Amino acid sequence: MTDTNTIKISTLEKMAESEVRPLSLESVTVKGHTIHFIDAGGGFGYSMIVFFGESQIKYANDYELHHPGRNREELRAWYLERANHQLYTEEEISGAVIDYHDYEAKRRYITELIPLRYDHLSMFHIFNNSAEDQEYEQAKQNYPFICALAYSYFKESEPVELITKLYNILQERRKESEQNYDYWFGAFYHELANHEYCINWEGDYDTLSAFGNIEYHGDEENERELYFEELKFSEMQKKAYTDARRKYLKDAEENGWG
């Protein structure tokens, strides 16, 4: 049995469900995923470890380390709420996109969490020397199926087909929601905050770059209108951005974000 007093994150994230189960204080099922609440010991404390079958979905895990001051009851409630907002069924993905946050959460689930169910090789690697580069290229030979959406190589075609199918469904549901002013207002407000618009000298460029490829017009008097034109924004989108920008700047002033 793993000694939870000395466990490292690298060890914990490699553990199979059969290894974590004996450590579990409680197990619950959320949307087809198994969540084990364990005392991971050391600095991790009371933790949520998430699995889909035998595969650990490590990016969905959470640890007491990140939430100082909360007791176990509070942590358990937080973990379950978080799990319900980052894990999805295929039926949920096929349903309506409520807002921009809903879309982003579903997109992350499809492209970042589903790949963890399968044996895969990430496209992101840092090589310290040519030997490591050659080793990676050799390993790629065992992962012939490419999924650009997940930035990964897979051994089988099944995950590529599943990820692609669900992503395409999500895009269709998003297009339906994009006819809604509230969707765009929420999307723009989210990205304004994400790019710290109130203290960002390239705020319009950085924020609107999240919605398509645009050229930098920061030195031009009508830069915002030029970005709108490049992105082919409708009058409704322009109004939503203007309103979201006004609301964000008001909130920033009232809350001292700048």
Side-chain angles (χ1 to χ4, degrees):
M1 181 179 293
T2 302
D3 181 358
T4 57
N5 291 318
T6 59
I7 195 170
K8 297 180 179 179
I9 187 65
S10 57
T11 300
L12 181 60
E13 291 184 344
K14 291 178 181 177
M15 293 172 66
E17 199 272 340
S18 58
E19 297 176 289
V20 173
R21 193 184 312 121
L23 307 176
S24 184
L25 303 172
E26 178 190 7
S27 299
V28 298
T29 300
V30 175
K31 302 179 183 180
H33 299 71
T34 301
I35 296 177
H36 290 295
F37 298 106
I38 72 170
D39 185 346
F44 297 108
Y46 184 68
S47 302
M48 170 179 75
I49 312 299
V50 182
F51 288 87
F52 188 90
E54 272 286 305
S55 300
Q56 185 179 154
I57 313 301
K58 62 183 180 181
Y59 298 148
N61 294 348
D62 205 352
Y63 311 96
E64 184 177 354
L65 173 69
H66 301 146
H67 311 286
R70 295 191 180 187
N71 60 40
R72 287 197 175 185
E73 183 178 350
E74 293 170 333
L75 285 169
R76 183 182 184 279
W78 169 264
Y79 291 156
L80 287 175
E81 180 179 1
R82 186 168 186 265
N84 274 288
H85 285 86
Q86 66 176 342
L87 304 175
Y88 294 92
T89 64
E90 291 191 28
E91 290 74 19
E92 286 179 309
I93 291 171
S94 297
V97 169
I98 300 171
D99 54 29
Y100 187 68
H101 294 281
D102 185 46
Y103 167 75
E104 279 294 295
K106 289 175 178 175
R107 181 195 60 77
R108 284 193 296 270
Y109 176 75
I110 294 169
T111 62
E112 299 176 17
L113 301 190
I114 287 181
L116 299 178
R117 301 180 189 178
Y118 304 90
D119 187 0
H120 70 286
L121 184 66
S122 173
M123 293 181 182
F124 296 112
H125 278 274
I126 297 176
F127 306 112
N128 297 309
N129 51 58
S130 59
E132 291 183 1
D133 189 357
Q134 292 175 7
E135 182 180 356
Y136 177 76
E137 290 300 319
Q138 185 64 35
K140 276 171 57 177
Q141 304 305 311
N142 297 318
Y143 298 85
F145 297 96
I146 301 172
C147 183
L149 291 170
Y151 297 100
S152 297
Y153 304 98
F154 293 89
K155 286 190 172 181
E156 301 175 346
S157 62
E158 176 189 342
V160 179
E161 293 166 357
L162 176 62
I163 291 167
T164 302
K165 180 189 77 171
L166 293 178
Y167 184 83
N168 289 338
I169 290 173
L170 180 63
Q171 298 316 304
E172 289 300 316
R173 299 293 84 78
R174 184 188 70 166
K175 288 178 183 177
E176 294 166 2
S177 296
E178 285 179 349
Q179 306 307 311
N180 186 299
Y181 167 88
D182 291 335
Y183 172 90
W184 283 109
F185 180 93
F188 292 139
Y189 191 97
H190 173 83
E191 292 300 339
L192 287 161
N194 189 43
H195 291 91
E196 298 182 302
Y197 185 89
C198 59
I199 58 172
N200 186 344
W201 288 104
E202 300 177 358
D204 286 307
Y205 174 75
D206 286 345
T207 300
L208 290 169
S209 289
F211 301 94
N213 295 322
I214 54 178
E215 294 184 15
Y216 180 65
H217 298 291
D219 297 327
E220 300 182 50
E221 184 177 349
N222 62 333
E223 65 161 317
R224 202 172 305 133
E225 289 299 325
L226 292 172
Y227 296 143
F228 289 165
E229 184 178 342
E230 287 185 40
L231 292 167
K232 296 181 171 55
F233 274 4
S234 66
E235 291 303 315
M236 179 266 286
Q237 289 172 301
K238 293 177 186 178
K239 175 174 171 46
Y241 184 81
T242 301
D243 292 349
R245 177 177 176 274
R246 183 185 302 112
K247 176 70 164 56
Y248 172 79
L249 290 174
K250 181 175 182 292
D251 291 346
E253 181 177 3
E254 291 178 352
N255 292 284
W257 295 342

